[in-house]
Amino acid sequence: MGERRVEATVIGPGSPGHLRVRLGQRERDVPMERVPSSLRSPNSQFVAVVQGGDLLRVEAAGRAWLVIQDRVRAVLNANWDPIGVADAVADEYDSYIGVIYSMLRRGTSPNELAEHLLRIETDSMGLDGLPEEQRLEVARRLLALELPTP
């Protein structure tokens, strides 16, 4: 499972050397050193980069990343959804958003982005792959998104 971004709120002290933090809908004790000292007070809010249930770091792009994630997620769920679960699990493809966004920022072509989606479908998911025209359409829609610059 890859990285994804969630809203986070510091609840207060956790076990020794940890803070109790709400990461999305879950509460976790996270190592204090992963949260900058300016955000360690109760009720401090930030965007967290998580993998599984673990906080990896604070997202430097902050709330702009949540807008990016929401817009890319909407295209992936509505137009791609290779395993057909987007209606039930809205964040199923969130772990792919970081790399997709990096590709969009560097000006990738529709064909390169469609090839990346194919690699996810075949290598990561073990599927045969969606039709090429569908992947190209998804790539075009992703490239057309107006995304904030973090």
Side-chain angles (χ1 to χ4, degrees):
M1 174 176 268
E3 295 178 355
R4 58 188 184 92
R5 275 80 173 164
V6 297
E7 292 187 75
T9 303
V10 174
I11 297 169
S15 58
H18 290 75
L19 291 171
R20 191 76 179 165
V21 178
R22 181 174 301 112
L23 299 169
Q25 301 299 317
R26 294 185 166 167
E27 290 184 14
R28 297 261 197 235
D29 278 2
V30 300
M32 196 172 295
E33 67 271 5
R34 293 195 183 152
V35 178
S37 58
S38 63
L39 296 174
R40 292 180 186 165
S41 302
N43 298 317
S44 292
Q45 296 181 333
F46 56 93
V47 176
V49 179
V50 297
Q51 188 166 26
D54 297 327
L55 184 142
L56 301 177
R57 64 186 178 280
V58 172
E59 173 57 64
R63 294 211 170 282
W65 182 264
L66 296 178
V67 173
I68 293 164
Q69 182 170 263
D70 287 346
R71 290 180 183 170
V72 173
R73 177 191 297 135
V75 171
L76 295 178
N77 286 350
N79 305 107
W80 186 51
D81 193 19
I83 58 176
V85 299
D87 288 340
V89 187
D91 64 354
E92 178 67 26
Y93 308 119
D94 283 8
S95 63
Y96 305 115
I97 293 174
V99 172
I100 290 170
Y101 179 68
S102 294
M103 294 176 76
L104 295 173
R105 288 287 309 242
R106 73 169 193 259
T108 191
S109 73
N111 286 336
E112 290 171 318
L113 194 48
E115 283 298 317
H116 176 71
L117 295 173
L118 177 61
R119 283 190 300 278
I120 293 171
E121 294 165 11
T122 57
D123 297 348
S124 298
M125 297 178 181
L127 302 173
D128 292 333
L130 296 172
E132 180 179 6
E133 187 52 44
Q134 182 178 353
R135 281 193 311 281
L136 280 169
E137 179 59 24
V138 172
R140 287 189 285 270
R141 289 176 185 258
L142 289 167
L143 287 161
L145 289 173
E146 290 188 27
L147 300 174
T149 303

